[in-house]
Amino acid sequence: MHTQRMAVSVSVLALLTLAACGTEPGSGSGGDGGDTVQSDVPVTGVAWSVDSLTVDGKKTEAPEGSRLEFDPKGRAKAGFGCNHISADARVEGDRITFGKPVSTQMACDEATEKAEKAALAAMDGEVTAKLSGEKLTLTTEGGDTFALSEEKPAALAGTRWAVTTLLSGETATSVPADLPKDRVPHLTFGEDGTVHGNSGCNSFHGKAEVKGSTITFGPPAGTRKMCPEAEMETERAVLAALDGPATYTIKGSTLTVTSKDGKGVGATATPATTEGTQEHG
């Protein structure tokens, strides 16, 4: 039927051009506008911060930095500061149907594990989505809820970006959680076309020219210490991403930098006052 074809079209386009809930006039061949099709809740392409989770009637604040994102390819990705969770996600009207979620298997602290277990349960089946301004509520069939808020993009320059993920093509690996505090990789871009930070072992600084969605990194200079292999491995992965031209995107407080050979990093905005932001090696 014509209405069914339009519904499929709306879902595929992920409603990038449609308004929030409600109905849109049909464009049937008769031109009378009599047919209608329900618009999907526009959750795609937005960085959502998870504020809280209510499971079995008990509300729990989500760990700081908890996020959920729906990409245009029909995939949902969630993170609560430890493991990466992903699942297929189909948006139809105010319903989101998740496929079986998958997760990395790192050991996490108790609060994070609790949030992850709740997310894995919610991201397996159908939820109802309700959008109110910049707030989104997802409700499972069992009545559990996720409260989310839309994140505004952080500024590239002047923000301290803590590297959380190492990318290699389609593979994403979490930065080891047990790195010493002063060796957690991070980046800070200057308005003057520079970048400085720590790559996992050594501090560094260098050029970083930004044009549009591209950052062109110059050869970095910095300290030349040797560290345990886990830290050196992280450093090699970070520096491989910051080599020559790379594309970048910012969604909410998440930065992704990807070089032309597929090497990249994912980073999260952190307070600029955090210790160690000014080292230049």
Side-chain angles (χ1 to χ4, degrees):
M1 292 179 61
H2 175 70
T3 303
Q4 291 174 324
R5 290 197 302 270
M6 288 196 67
V8 172
S9 176
V10 168
S11 182
V12 170
L13 292 175
L15 284 192
L16 296 178
T17 58
L18 293 181
C21 312
T23 59
E24 294 290 327
S27 54
S29 57
D32 59 5
D35 293 340
T36 59
V37 58
Q38 186 177 19
S39 297
D40 296 347
V41 176
V43 298
T44 303
V46 178
W48 296 105
S49 173
V50 183
D51 301 326
S52 63
L53 309 90
T54 301
V55 179
D56 295 331
K58 184 177 180 180
K59 180 178 178 181
T60 303
E61 297 300 318
E64 185 176 354
S66 299
R67 289 173 182 80
L68 175 64
E69 182 180 338
F70 299 88
D71 69 28
K73 297 179 181 179
R75 194 78 176 164
K77 300 177 182 178
F80 296 86
C82 186
N83 285 294
H84 298 279
I85 301 170
S86 62
D88 291 330
R90 185 175 72 252
V91 183
E92 293 178 318
D94 65 347
R95 301 296 177 92
I96 301 173
T97 303
F98 292 102
K100 190 71 176 177
V102 295
S103 173
T104 54
Q105 299 296 318
M106 294 177 61
C108 314
D109 63 82
E110 184 177 351
T112 301
E113 285 187 356
K114 183 178 180 180
E116 290 181 350
K117 286 180 180 178
L120 286 167
M123 294 172 66
D124 187 8
E126 187 176 271
V127 301
T128 301
K130 181 179 180 181
L131 188 65
S132 178
E134 297 177 353
K135 300 289 186 179
L136 174 68
T137 302
L138 303 181
T139 305
T140 70
E141 293 178 322
D144 296 337
T145 61
F146 275 34
L148 308 101
S149 300
E150 181 179 352
E151 288 189 50
K152 299 302 182 184
L156 176 67
T159 300
R160 183 182 189 273
W161 297 101
V163 178
T164 57
T165 308
L166 306 174
L167 308 173
S168 181
E170 295 296 317
T171 303
T173 305
S174 296
V175 170
D178 57 353
L179 287 180
K181 247 185 178 181
D182 61 343
R183 292 175 188 167
V184 174
H186 59 85
L187 317 168
T188 301
F189 295 89
E191 297 282 1
D192 58 353
T194 62
V195 62
H196 70 269
N198 189 290
S199 49
C201 174
N202 291 282
S203 59
F204 74 94
H205 63 275
K207 296 291 185 182
E209 183 180 1
V210 180
K211 286 187 177 180
S213 61
T214 300
I215 304 173
T216 301
F217 294 95
T223 57
R224 293 291 183 267
K225 297 180 296 185
M226 293 299 295
C227 298
E229 180 55 27
E231 295 159 37
M232 297 303 296
E233 185 176 348
T234 297
E235 177 163 279
R236 286 191 290 269
V238 170
L239 293 178
L242 311 182
D243 182 16
T247 58
Y248 82 94
T249 59
I250 297 175
K251 292 182 179 180
S253 56
T254 300
L255 166 71
T256 303
V257 178
T258 309
S259 66
K260 59 184 178 181
D261 63 358
K263 303 294 184 183
V265 296
T268 301
T270 58
T273 54
T274 301
E275 183 181 353
T277 60
Q278 298 301 317
E279 71 268 44
H280 290 268

